[in-house]
Amino acid sequence: MRRISRITVAGAATASLALALSACGNTSTSGSSESKGDKGLAIAYDVGGKGDQSFNDAAYAGLEKAQKEFGYKTADLEPTEGETDADKEQRLVSLAKQGYNPVVGVGYAYASAVKGAAEKFPDTTFGIVDDATINTKNVADLVFNEEQASYLAGVAAAKSTKSKVVGFVGGVDIPLIHKFQAGFAQGVKDTDPKVKVLSQYLTQTAEEGGFASPDKGKTAAEGQIEKKADVVYAAAGLSGQGVIEAAAAKKVWAIGVDSDQYQQEALAKYKDSILTSAMKDVAQAVYSLAKSVKDGKPETGIVRGDLKTGEVSLSNSNPKFADNAELQEAIKTAKEKIISGEIKVKSS
C-alpha cells in the first residue's frame, strides 16, 4: 500500500531545535540550511546506538546514502539509558515537529512510540524497522525474512564444522530473534543431521543488555566453544562483537549478522575468523523509504525484504568462504529452493 503526501516542514528557531534534540539524547545532523523543504530523513537508534557494527550502523548507512543523494538535512538520535516508551515517542515527535520526513524508529522497541507519533503527525511518514504490528496509514513497517538468511548461515555452518557441533547466540529471548535461531537450526539439520546445535540467549529483555553487552556475548561463545562448537552464529547486535572476539581467540569460525561484519573497521583484527554474515539490508530499506517520500509516493504498510528481493543474503567478503566451491554450490541450491518454495523456512 502506498499513500501520496507532501513533505511537511515545521519552522523552528535554532535555539528550540537545540533544546528539543538535547532532550532526546545525543544527535548529529548533516547540512546547515533551515529553509523550507531542506529537511528529510531522521532516524532514532535502538539499544546499542551508532557504532554497534550491526543493526544501527546499517540504518545510518541508509541515512548517509539519502543525505548524499538528496542533499538535504538529516538527523540521527541516540537512545538514553532506562528510557520509556514515552521518551521514545517524544524523540520522534521532536523530529517530526522540526520538519523531518520520514522519521524512522530503528527496532521493534519503537512500536508504541511510532504509533503515537504517527497519530499526532498524520502528514509525516514514519517507518519502523523489525515490527509489523502498526496498521496506520502513514507508517511503513520495514520487516525482513531473517530466517531465510539464517537458514543459509546454517548451511554454511554445517558444511564448515569439523567437530559436528555449532553454536547460536541470541541477544534477547524474543520472537524476532527466534526467527534467526529457527532458520539457522533448520539449515544445519537439513544439511547434516549429525551436527549438534547449541543455543543460548543472553537475556530475557533488551533492558538487561542482551543487545548491548559484548562481554555477555563473549562469555556465551566461550562456553559453547568449550563444548566443541567450532562455528558460532550470533544474532545479538553489539553483543555479537564479543562472540566474534571469542571465536577469533579460540581460532574457530564466527558468523556475523545484519551487516557484512568482515568489512567493518572495528572488527578488522578479527575478520579472518568471520566466515560470513547473515545480512538484512536495513540500509536499503531506510534509503528506499526516504526516496519514496522524496518522490511523493511514500511507502506505507508492510514492506518486506527477503531472499527473492535480495534484501536478505549471505556476505561473500571472506575469500575462504567465497572460494569454497562446494560450500557455495550448497548455498546456491538452498537459496534457489527457498525462493521457489520447495524449502519452507521456519520462523519459530
Side-chain angles (χ1 to χ4, degrees):
M1 179 174 68
R2 293 177 180 268
R3 189 176 65 86
I4 298 175
S5 68
R6 293 182 179 274
I7 295 177
T8 59
V9 179
T14 302
S16 298
L17 171 63
L19 178 62
L21 292 180
S22 65
C24 298
N26 296 332
T27 181
S28 62
T29 59
S30 302
S32 58
S33 172
E34 295 289 341
S35 63
K36 184 176 181 180
D38 73 338
K39 289 185 178 179
L41 173 63
I43 61 177
Y45 294 115
D46 198 3
V47 291
K50 186 161 66 174
D52 69 346
Q53 309 300 320
S54 184
F55 184 69
N56 289 296
D57 281 1
Y60 181 69
L63 179 142
E64 283 190 306
K65 182 178 179 181
Q67 196 280 329
K68 182 177 180 180
E69 182 168 330
F70 306 136
Y72 56 26
K73 185 164 185 160
T74 61
D76 58 307
L77 301 182
E78 295 284 355
T80 57
E81 187 174 352
E83 67 184 20
T84 64
D85 286 343
D87 295 327
K88 289 183 175 68
E89 183 174 331
Q90 181 54 42
R91 180 177 299 122
L92 301 180
V93 164
S94 170
L95 292 166
K97 277 184 177 179
Q98 293 157 39
Y100 290 101
N101 188 15
V103 176
V104 178
V106 183
Y108 69 92
Y110 276 94
S112 175
V114 167
K115 189 174 189 300
E119 290 172 353
K120 291 180 174 70
F121 291 87
D123 292 326
T124 298
T125 298
F126 290 82
I128 183 166
V129 180
D130 280 351
D131 182 87
T133 65
I134 304 174
N135 184 21
T136 302
K137 63 182 181 180
N138 59 323
V139 175
D141 299 293
L142 307 175
V143 294
F144 303 85
N145 286 115
E146 296 96 344
E147 70 277 7
Q148 294 181 349
S150 295
Y151 183 101
L152 299 184
V155 174
K159 284 287 187 180
S160 301
T161 180
K162 296 178 179 178
S163 66
K164 298 296 183 179
V165 181
V166 301
F168 171 83
V169 176
V172 181
D173 191 357
I174 54 173
L176 172 64
I177 306 303
H178 297 168
K179 293 167 66 178
F180 291 86
Q181 179 189 8
F184 179 70
Q186 185 181 349
V188 171
K189 292 301 182 184
D190 285 356
T191 304
D192 187 347
K194 295 180 180 179
V195 176
K196 182 178 181 180
V197 180
L198 306 176
S199 296
Q200 180 178 344
Y201 287 91
L202 301 180
T203 64
Q204 293 298 305
T205 66
E207 290 74 17
E208 295 172 280
F211 291 133
S213 304
D215 57 326
K216 294 181 188 295
K218 182 178 180 181
T219 298
E222 287 172 342
Q224 292 183 343
I225 294 167
E226 286 178 4
K227 296 177 181 177
K228 306 302 183 184
D230 59 356
V231 185
V232 184
Y233 174 40
L238 184 64
S239 300
Q241 292 189 30
V243 173
I244 292 170
E245 181 182 352
K250 299 296 184 180
K251 301 189 183 306
V252 301
W253 286 120
I255 296 178
V257 77
D258 291 342
S259 301
D260 184 356
Q261 298 197 294
Y262 183 91
Q263 296 283 11
Q264 291 172 335
E265 289 185 15
L267 299 172
K269 62 183 176 181
Y270 309 126
K271 71 177 186 178
D272 288 342
S273 295
I274 302 173
L275 179 66
T276 181
S277 296
M279 301 187 296
K280 60 181 182 184
D281 204 343
V282 175
Q284 182 61 36
V286 169
Y287 164 79
S288 294
L289 178 61
K291 186 176 188 302
S292 75
V293 173
K294 186 73 172 176
D295 292 344
K297 299 178 180 179
E299 291 179 328
T300 58
I302 293 176
V303 183
R304 184 176 297 279
D306 57 16
L307 283 178
K308 187 173 183 179
T309 68
E311 290 183 44
V312 301
S313 61
L314 284 189
S315 64
N316 266 331
S317 297
N318 189 332
K320 291 182 180 179
F321 176 76
D323 296 341
N324 186 323
E326 181 183 351
L327 178 52
Q328 290 297 321
E329 183 61 30
I331 291 169
K332 178 184 177 183
T333 299
K335 179 180 177 180
E336 290 172 349
K337 288 182 177 180
I338 292 171
I339 291 173
S340 71
E342 183 177 345
I343 293 176
K344 298 190 183 301
V345 184
K346 299 175 183 177
S347 58
S348 63

